[in-house]
Amino acid sequence: MESYAQTTRVLKALSDPKRLEIVDRLMEREYCAYELLPLFEVTQPTLSHDMKVLSEVGVIKQQRKGKNVVYSVNREVLEDVVHHLNVIISK
């Protein structure tokens, strides 16, 4: 993790319960947006906003497969945050 600022951005993005649940689901497997939408009681624009927030801080990756966008977790970013927090806690 490069800085406290990056860790803070990731933690802020994850501080929303719905976003944290999205990440939890994506830890199991990749999902298309149309597969995620029925799992949450939100509108498509709301889900798109949450995916954008998570993507902007690097927590999720997106890849176009045909007409669909497939989302997956960027485990490196999460591991960096955990490492950074462990360094702070171990002092």
Side-chain angles (χ1 to χ4, degrees), residues 37-64:
L37 191 57
L39 302 176
F40 301 93
E41 293 181 14
V42 297
T43 63
Q44 186 276 326
T46 300
L47 180 63
S48 292
H49 171 74
D50 288 328
M51 300 306 278
K52 180 181 177 188
V53 169
L54 292 169
S55 183
E56 285 176 345
V57 297
V59 171
I60 62 170
K61 301 181 279 190
Q62 44 187 315
Q63 178 183 3
R64 184 161 293 283

Side-chain angles (χ1 to χ4, degrees), residues 13-14 16-31 36-37 39-40 42 46-55 59-60 71-73 78:
L14 294 174
D16 179 276
K18 183 174 16 71
R19 289 187 206 133
L20 192 57
E21 186 178 350
I22 290 168
V23 172
D24 187 26
R25 297 221 183 223
L26 289 173
M27 292 296 286
E28 298 167 6
R29 69 177 183 91
E30 295 179 338
Y31 280 90
L36 282 171
L37 191 57
L39 302 176
F40 301 93
V42 297
T46 300
L47 180 63
S48 292
H49 171 74
D50 288 328
M51 300 306 278
K52 180 181 177 188
V53 169
L54 292 169
S55 183
V59 171
I60 62 170
Y71 296 96
S72 61
V73 171
L78 294 179

Side-chain angles (χ1 to χ4, degrees), residues 78-90:
L78 294 179
E79 289 167 0
D80 285 348
V81 169
V82 169
H83 174 74
H84 198 209
L85 291 174
N86 280 331
V87 167
I88 292 168
I89 291 167
S90 67

